[in-house]
Short mmCIF file of all heavy atoms in Angstrom, two decimals:
data_model
loop_
_atom_site.label_atom_id
_atom_site.label_comp_id
_atom_site.label_asym_id
_atom_site.label_seq_id
_atom_site.Cartn_x
_atom_site.Cartn_y
_atom_site.Cartn_z
N ALA A 107 -29.93 38.42 -102.62
CA ALA A 107 -30.65 37.87 -103.77
C ALA A 107 -31.37 36.58 -103.41
O ALA A 107 -32.49 36.32 -103.87
CB ALA A 107 -29.67 37.63 -104.92
N GLY A 108 -30.76 35.76 -102.58
CA GLY A 108 -31.43 34.55 -102.14
C GLY A 108 -32.55 34.82 -101.15
O GLY A 108 -33.57 34.12 -101.14
N MET A 109 -32.36 35.85 -100.30
CA MET A 109 -33.41 36.20 -99.35
C MET A 109 -34.64 36.76 -100.04
O MET A 109 -35.76 36.61 -99.54
CB MET A 109 -32.85 37.21 -98.34
CG MET A 109 -31.72 36.67 -97.49
SD MET A 109 -30.85 37.96 -96.57
CE MET A 109 -32.17 38.52 -95.48
N LEU A 110 -34.45 37.39 -101.18
CA LEU A 110 -35.59 37.96 -101.91
C LEU A 110 -36.46 36.88 -102.55
O LEU A 110 -37.56 37.18 -103.01
CB LEU A 110 -35.09 38.93 -102.98
CG LEU A 110 -34.48 40.23 -102.47
CD1 LEU A 110 -33.96 41.06 -103.63
CD2 LEU A 110 -35.49 41.03 -101.67
N LYS A 111 -35.97 35.65 -102.61
CA LYS A 111 -36.78 34.57 -103.17
C LYS A 111 -37.88 34.11 -102.21
O LYS A 111 -38.77 33.37 -102.61
CB LYS A 111 -35.89 33.38 -103.54
CG LYS A 111 -34.91 33.70 -104.66
CD LYS A 111 -34.07 32.50 -105.01
CE LYS A 111 -33.10 32.82 -106.13
NZ LYS A 111 -32.26 31.64 -106.49
N ASN A 112 -37.77 34.53 -100.95
CA ASN A 112 -38.83 34.22 -99.99
C ASN A 112 -39.98 35.20 -100.20
O ASN A 112 -39.86 36.39 -99.92
CB ASN A 112 -38.28 34.33 -98.56
CG ASN A 112 -39.25 33.84 -97.51
OD1 ASN A 112 -40.44 33.69 -97.76
ND2 ASN A 112 -38.74 33.58 -96.32
N ARG A 113 -41.09 34.69 -100.69
CA ARG A 113 -42.19 35.59 -101.05
C ARG A 113 -42.84 36.24 -99.84
O ARG A 113 -43.52 37.26 -99.97
CB ARG A 113 -43.25 34.82 -101.84
CG ARG A 113 -43.91 33.69 -101.07
CD ARG A 113 -44.90 32.93 -101.94
NE ARG A 113 -45.59 31.88 -101.20
CZ ARG A 113 -46.69 32.08 -100.50
NH1 ARG A 113 -47.23 33.29 -100.41
NH2 ARG A 113 -47.27 31.07 -99.86
N ARG A 114 -42.62 35.69 -98.66
CA ARG A 114 -43.21 36.28 -97.46
C ARG A 114 -42.40 37.46 -96.93
O ARG A 114 -42.95 38.33 -96.24
CB ARG A 114 -43.33 35.22 -96.36
CG ARG A 114 -44.22 34.05 -96.74
CD ARG A 114 -44.27 33.03 -95.62
NE ARG A 114 -45.06 31.86 -95.98
CZ ARG A 114 -46.37 31.77 -95.81
NH1 ARG A 114 -47.05 32.78 -95.27
NH2 ARG A 114 -47.02 30.67 -96.16
N LEU A 115 -41.10 37.49 -97.24
CA LEU A 115 -40.22 38.53 -96.71
C LEU A 115 -39.59 39.40 -97.78
O LEU A 115 -38.85 40.33 -97.44
CB LEU A 115 -39.10 37.88 -95.87
CG LEU A 115 -39.53 37.01 -94.70
CD1 LEU A 115 -38.31 36.36 -94.06
CD2 LEU A 115 -40.30 37.83 -93.67
N ALA A 116 -39.85 39.11 -99.05
CA ALA A 116 -39.15 39.81 -100.12
C ALA A 116 -39.43 41.31 -100.11
O ALA A 116 -38.52 42.12 -100.29
CB ALA A 116 -39.53 39.21 -101.47
N ARG A 117 -40.68 41.69 -99.92
CA ARG A 117 -41.02 43.11 -99.98
C ARG A 117 -40.37 43.90 -98.85
O ARG A 117 -39.83 44.99 -99.06
CB ARG A 117 -42.55 43.28 -99.91
CG ARG A 117 -43.02 44.72 -100.09
CD ARG A 117 -44.53 44.78 -100.13
NE ARG A 117 -45.10 44.32 -98.87
CZ ARG A 117 -46.39 44.00 -98.70
NH1 ARG A 117 -47.21 44.05 -99.73
NH2 ARG A 117 -46.84 43.60 -97.53
N ARG A 118 -40.35 43.36 -97.65
CA ARG A 118 -39.78 44.08 -96.53
C ARG A 118 -38.25 44.09 -96.58
O ARG A 118 -37.61 45.05 -96.15
CB ARG A 118 -40.27 43.47 -95.22
CG ARG A 118 -41.77 43.68 -95.01
CD ARG A 118 -42.26 43.03 -93.74
NE ARG A 118 -43.68 43.25 -93.55
CZ ARG A 118 -44.41 42.74 -92.56
NH1 ARG A 118 -43.81 41.94 -91.67
NH2 ARG A 118 -45.70 42.99 -92.46
N ILE A 119 -37.67 43.02 -97.10
CA ILE A 119 -36.21 42.99 -97.25
C ILE A 119 -35.78 44.02 -98.30
O ILE A 119 -34.79 44.74 -98.11
CB ILE A 119 -35.74 41.58 -97.63
CG1 ILE A 119 -35.95 40.63 -96.45
CG2 ILE A 119 -34.29 41.58 -98.06
CD1 ILE A 119 -35.61 39.19 -96.77
N ALA A 120 -36.51 44.10 -99.41
CA ALA A 120 -36.17 45.08 -100.42
C ALA A 120 -36.40 46.50 -99.93
O ALA A 120 -35.67 47.43 -100.30
CB ALA A 120 -36.99 44.83 -101.69
N ASP A 121 -37.40 46.68 -99.07
CA ASP A 121 -37.69 48.01 -98.53
C ASP A 121 -36.62 48.45 -97.54
O ASP A 121 -36.42 49.65 -97.33
CB ASP A 121 -39.06 48.00 -97.86
CG ASP A 121 -39.55 49.39 -97.51
OD1 ASP A 121 -39.08 50.36 -98.15
OD2 ASP A 121 -40.39 49.54 -96.61
N ALA A 122 -35.92 47.50 -96.90
CA ALA A 122 -34.90 47.86 -95.91
C ALA A 122 -33.67 48.47 -96.55
O ALA A 122 -33.00 49.31 -95.94
CB ALA A 122 -34.52 46.63 -95.09
N GLY A 123 -33.32 48.06 -97.76
CA GLY A 123 -32.18 48.64 -98.45
C GLY A 123 -30.84 48.22 -97.85
O GLY A 123 -30.02 49.07 -97.49
N PHE A 124 -30.59 46.91 -97.76
CA PHE A 124 -29.34 46.42 -97.18
C PHE A 124 -28.12 46.86 -97.99
O PHE A 124 -27.09 47.25 -97.44
CB PHE A 124 -29.38 44.89 -97.09
CG PHE A 124 -30.35 44.38 -96.06
CD1 PHE A 124 -30.90 43.11 -96.17
CD2 PHE A 124 -30.72 45.16 -94.99
CE1 PHE A 124 -31.79 42.64 -95.22
CE2 PHE A 124 -31.61 44.70 -94.04
CZ PHE A 124 -32.15 43.44 -94.15
#
Side-chain angles (χ1 to χ4, degrees):
M109 297 168 64
L110 291 177
K111 295 181 180 180
N112 188 343
R113 63 183 183 86
R114 299 179 183 272
L115 302 175
R117 185 175 63 194
R118 293 178 179 176
I119 291 176
D121 191 24
F124 291 155

